[in-house]
Amino acid sequence: MADVRIVNASPLIALAAIGLQDLLAKLSGRVIVPEAVVREILAGNASDPARRLIEAKWGDRASEPEIAPAIHAWGLGAGESSVIALALVTPVAEVILDDAPARRCARSFGLPVRGTVGVLLLAKKRGLVPSVKDRLLELKTNGFFIDDALLDEAIRLAGEV
């Protein structure tokens, strides 16, 4: 198990939207939220449950890491870049990212990567959620895009076929 997870805005927003905002804390020894991610969430919708989470000082805050030119070259957002840069200097860290280019970038640096779907699969494995399928369908109902092939694969991996 990754003892430390560094999370981007999208997974926090998605999990909070379906009432699972505490899931990352239950799966981790420590959850880190870079300041760039905090700013991104606070700039969003005032009624977003993730915003209330951030306003309540959820997770450990991390100051702005130095973003290496090799990360800048990927053209990622500030939050994704901060998550990856911070993970490069944080032992035993897994990054929680949904954006495909950000995930490719993180993997190019040898970082362990998990997205919202992977978090839900791990939570099911640990008995923290009864159904991955139900949670994914709830995300789709709340306007989150989940590719149909990914949805089918996640349901299969969860043993819910």
Side-chain angles (χ1 to χ4, degrees), residues 18-41:
I18 59 172
L20 295 176
Q21 56 271 14
D22 293 329
L23 199 54
L24 284 170
K26 291 176 181 176
L27 292 169
S28 309
R30 182 175 178 215
V31 179
I32 300 174
V33 184
E35 283 300 323
V37 171
V38 169
R39 283 193 307 275
E40 186 177 328
I41 291 173

Side-chain angles (χ1 to χ4, degrees), residues 2 6 33 52 64 97 99:
I6 304 171
V33 184
R52 290 190 295 278
E64 295 297 320
L97 297 160
D99 181 70

